[in-house]
Amino acid sequence: MKNVLLFLTAATILVCFSSGFSQVTFSDVAPMMGVADAGAAQGVAFIDVNNDGWLDIFLVNNNTPNKLWINSNGTVYNDSTAAWGVNATIPGRGLSCGDFNNDGFIDVMVGGWLTPIILYKNTGTSFIDYTSTAGVGFTGYGGSMNWIDYNKDGKLDLLFANNGMPPRYKYFFRNNDLSTFTNVAMTVGISDSSSTLTVASADYDNDGDLDIFFGTQSYPGSAFTSILYRNNGNGTFTEVTASSGITTNYYIWGAEWGDYNNDGYMDLFLATTTGLYQLYKNNGNGTFTDVSASVGITEGGNAYSCAWFDYDNDGDLDLYVARGQGYADIMYKNNGGVFTDVASTIGLSDLLHSSCVSVGDYNNDGYLDLYLNNNGAPNRLFRNSTGPNKWIIFRLRGVTSNRSAIGSRVTIKTGNLTQIREVEGGSGGKGQNSLPVEFGIGSATVIDSVIIRWTNGLVQRFANIAPNQIIDAVEGQTIGVEHSGEIIPEKFSLSQNYPNPFNPRTVISFSLSVVSDVSLKVYDVQGREVETLVNERLKPGIYESTFDASRLTSGVYFYKLTAGEFTETRKMLLVK
């Protein structure tokens, strides 16, 4: 008699990822969409300024008017720069976007060269210059910034990477009360004076708070190197550059964190204008190894921005490198941890002066698109043609965590594949990718489990999520089937029955890593079947079955589990 008592984890169907190349291509639709601006483009971000569910584009130009284009249901963009009050003409260099006052509308910080930065507060229908009220009206060099909640108090703070001839100290504005800021860089330990071109934040040590990398304006033999700060979790940072192994001293214009090998740790790519590009693999113990050459990344020179994203939705992160001054842009396809440049094959081999790239799904079709700044030439909006692979997108909204959920991490599992993403408050150098986190899942028909770790420490687990949808995930609310266990078991297993010896009942437990046709049978010492406990197709999870031997005599019995190609037999003893 079958008696399956306990199913602890999520449902799934076996994932079969295509090992072949997904036929995904890109086409430039900027002219037809109305976003082929030909200014001196510097920073760009995909952001939803009016909360209508469609990604708008905010563009920062150098000494030509900035641009804000509002997305009309993915069909066309409308120039709304003047109407929204952001048509300033400044030596703009970059931007970062986040809801600093937790009112539900995304705000924008714009940085420039030898000009006061501007904090634009979003009212829902326009932006107002909130700089002086917030207390952040300083004159800076450059425009690489990150919004982060470094102390996990639910309020977004702001990092500003200052460059130019040293000393150029960083600015780190702590959000005091959702209205004003205080520069606490020296107080929290961000005290170096190196000339910094880019800043990138991520939880590289998986301890639940955001760490900081600064890419410096340096050169071989210089006294300055790029700098890594570890968040101590108490409101301070410790500089760990030397011990981490990230001691590069090239001109680092673009830096981007991403888990390229799906091992659960954030790796770091550096785009340089001098020297070879560098991919630092996270070893999981606080150290990194430069694996660039071994994974096929051997190019270098004149790179100004970069972006990790799964362009073909096959389940691993690919890498775009934006290059200038006659160098063709690179699209590194991830082939299981080894990279191949496919830019010319899929339509992304741009030859103009690429200064910044932003990634987002502007038409909500589940395949990620690119907006590419070309300094002094028409910009590109590269639309992704879509392909056969499935996807899932999460739009996170914090409640006690910061409203933009910046710093939150999403982990999903489909079959044997686990992927992570973090909500970024600045990306790739002087711009920002979209806030929603996107996953490609190949041919999977179910996302087995989803784990959301919010910045305040709350962890939510869900199971059995259908693919090909955009999910609005609100902190503390459900998005699907909730469960209290961990994610799907990594492998098949059959446990020893308990108790053993037994009289007359015992419990047999087993684990399934993928959906399987399962048989669990009991035999006597003569090899004769005495009972079938399980004979059906089951979903991944941990199961328990009770065997009642009341009708049997004392002696040795065997139980055998068959699940797909997995088979295991164990012995048990009945004593009456």
Side-chain angles (χ1 to χ4, degrees):
M1 177 178 67
K2 181 186 72 174
N3 185 17
V4 178
L5 296 180
L6 183 63
F7 173 50
L8 294 179
T9 57
T12 193
I13 293 179
L14 176 63
V15 180
C16 297
F17 284 99
S18 170
S19 60
F21 175 66
S22 297
Q23 296 301 314
V24 173
T25 60
F26 291 81
S27 55
D28 180 16
V29 297
M32 63 177 285
M33 294 294 293
V35 293
D37 184 66
Q42 294 291 318
V44 64
F46 274 116
I47 59 172
D48 183 4
V49 299
N50 54 3
N51 290 348
D52 65 352
W54 299 89
L55 292 177
D56 311 303
I57 298 173
F58 199 117
L59 178 69
V60 174
N61 281 321
N62 184 18
N63 291 320
T64 57
N66 298 326
K67 293 287 185 180
L68 173 63
W69 290 292
I70 301 297
N71 189 336
S72 179
N73 299 324
T75 60
V76 70
Y77 278 92
N78 298 307
D79 189 343
S80 303
T81 311
W84 277 70
V86 292
N87 55 335
T89 299
I90 61 171
R93 289 299 179 96
L95 77 166
S96 183
C97 310
D99 184 1
F100 80 85
N101 57 352
N102 288 342
D103 66 351
F105 297 106
I106 195 79
D107 310 297
V108 181
M109 181 74 84
V110 175
W113 180 261
L114 284 176
T115 188
I117 67 174
I118 303 174
L119 175 58
Y120 286 114
K121 177 182 175 181
N122 189 342
T123 68
T125 56
S126 65
F127 285 96
I128 60 174
D129 188 338
Y130 202 71
T131 312
S132 60
T133 302
V136 294
F138 73 101
T139 297
Y141 293 74
S144 184
M145 296 167 286
N146 273 193
W147 289 104
I148 73 169
D149 182 6
Y150 80 98
N151 53 3
K152 298 190 289 187
D153 65 353
K155 302 187 291 287
L156 283 178
D157 314 293
L158 183 74
L159 275 167
F160 186 91
N162 223 2
N163 74 303
M165 294 303 294
R168 295 289 181 229
Y169 294 100
K170 281 62 169 179
Y171 287 84
F172 196 175
F173 290 106
R174 184 188 64 212
N175 192 329
N176 299 319
D177 51 11
L178 301 179
S179 179
T180 63
F181 294 80
T182 300
N183 181 21
V184 295
M186 293 292 183
T187 304
V188 302
I190 310 295
S191 58
D192 71 279
S193 61
S194 59
S195 178
T196 301
L197 297 171
T198 185
V199 58
S201 308
D203 181 11
Y204 81 82
D205 51 1
N206 288 356
D207 65 352
D209 48 38
L210 288 176
D211 312 293
I212 303 168
F213 173 82
F214 289 103
T216 59
Q217 184 178 6
S218 187
Y219 52 88
S222 168
F224 295 99
T225 67
S226 293
I227 299 169
L228 179 65
Y229 285 101
R230 186 188 66 231
N231 193 326
N232 298 320
N234 60 1
T236 67
F237 292 82
T238 299
E239 200 251 293
V240 294
T241 310
S243 62
S244 74
I246 306 178
T247 55
T248 178
N249 54 9
Y250 293 135
Y251 268 58
I252 309 297
W253 281 94
E256 182 79 334
W257 295 94
D259 182 14
Y260 82 92
N261 55 355
N262 288 330
D263 67 351
Y265 288 91
M266 299 295 278
D267 311 295
L268 180 65
F269 178 78
L270 304 180
T272 76
T273 55
T274 60
L276 299 176
Y277 311 140
Q278 295 173 300
L279 173 57
Y280 282 97
K281 176 183 176 294
N282 191 329
N283 298 319
N285 59 1
T287 68
F288 294 79
T289 301
D290 184 350
V291 296
S292 309
S294 65
V295 300
I297 297 176
T298 58
E299 289 79 9
N302 285 340
Y304 294 93
S305 184
C306 52
W308 288 110
F309 72 113
D310 186 359
Y311 84 87
D312 51 0
N313 284 349
D314 66 349
D316 51 29
L317 286 174
D318 311 295
L319 176 65
Y320 190 88
V321 182
R323 308 203 293 176
Q325 300 166 348
Y327 284 70
D329 290 353
I330 297 173
M331 181 72 246
Y332 287 114
K333 175 176 168 53
N334 190 337
N335 306 291
V338 178
F339 295 88
T340 305
D341 182 9
V342 297
S344 60
T345 303
I346 64 175
L348 289 177
S349 187
D350 188 80
L351 279 167
L352 300 175
H353 185 44
S354 303
S355 57
C356 190
V357 62
S358 179
V359 175
D361 181 13
Y362 85 86
N363 54 359
N364 288 345
D365 65 357
Y367 273 69
L368 290 170
D369 312 293
L370 290 172
Y371 191 87
L372 180 66
N373 286 358
N374 279 316
N375 192 349
N379 300 326
R380 314 283 200 188
L381 175 57
F382 286 115
R383 182 180 63 201
N384 195 324
S385 66
T386 76
N389 290 327
K390 297 181 176 63
W391 51 274
I392 190 78
I393 294 175
F394 297 95
R395 294 189 294 220
L396 273 59
R397 191 178 81 197
V399 177
T400 58
S401 299
N402 70 84
R403 183 66 175 259
S404 299
I406 289 172
S408 298
R409 176 180 287 193
V410 180
T411 303
I412 72 167
K413 182 160 185 178
T414 49
N416 294 321
L417 177 65
T418 302
Q419 301 180 66
I420 64 172
R421 301 284 190 274
E422 291 183 355
V423 183
E424 300 175 297
S427 312
K430 298 172 292 184
Q432 188 166 340
N433 298 328
S434 63
L435 289 175
V437 293
E438 307 93 354
F439 297 87
I441 59 170
S443 59
T445 57
V446 172
I447 293 91
D448 300 324
S449 58
V450 175
I451 299 176
I452 303 176
R453 188 194 69 191
W454 301 89
T455 55
N456 72 349
L458 174 67
V459 176
Q460 292 183 271
R461 295 180 171 89
F462 308 96
N464 194 24
I465 306 297
N468 292 354
Q469 61 172 322
I470 299 173
I471 293 178
D472 290 306
V474 180
E475 183 179 4
Q477 298 184 18
T478 188
I479 63 168
V481 180
E482 294 194 64
H483 66 103
S484 58
E486 294 298 326
I487 59 179
I488 301 302
E490 294 291 339
K491 60 183 180 180
F492 292 99
S493 65
L494 177 64
S495 300
Q496 186 64 51
N497 65 301
Y498 181 84
N500 188 42
F502 67 98
N503 178 27
R505 296 177 181 84
T506 189
V507 175
I508 300 170
S509 63
F510 58 92
S511 299
L512 307 178
S513 59
V514 298
V515 65
S516 305
D517 292 318
V518 177
S519 169
L520 179 62
K521 296 184 178 184
V522 179
Y523 300 88
D524 63 18
V525 292
Q526 302 299 319
R528 295 172 297 196
E529 181 182 328
V530 297
E531 187 160 347
T532 297
L533 300 175
V534 179
N535 186 26
E536 63 179 302
R537 190 172 180 82
L538 295 177
K539 302 164 185 176
I542 303 171
Y543 293 84
E544 290 182 351
S545 182
T546 298
F547 173 47
D548 188 339
S550 299
R551 62 183 177 83
L552 300 176
T553 60
S554 296
V556 174
Y557 293 86
F558 299 89
Y559 56 97
K560 178 180 179 181
L561 175 70
T562 302
E565 297 180 356
F566 174 83
T567 299
E568 187 171 349
T569 302
R570 288 180 178 268
K571 181 172 67 174
M572 58 184 172
L573 179 62
L574 172 62
V575 178
K576 288 188 173 180

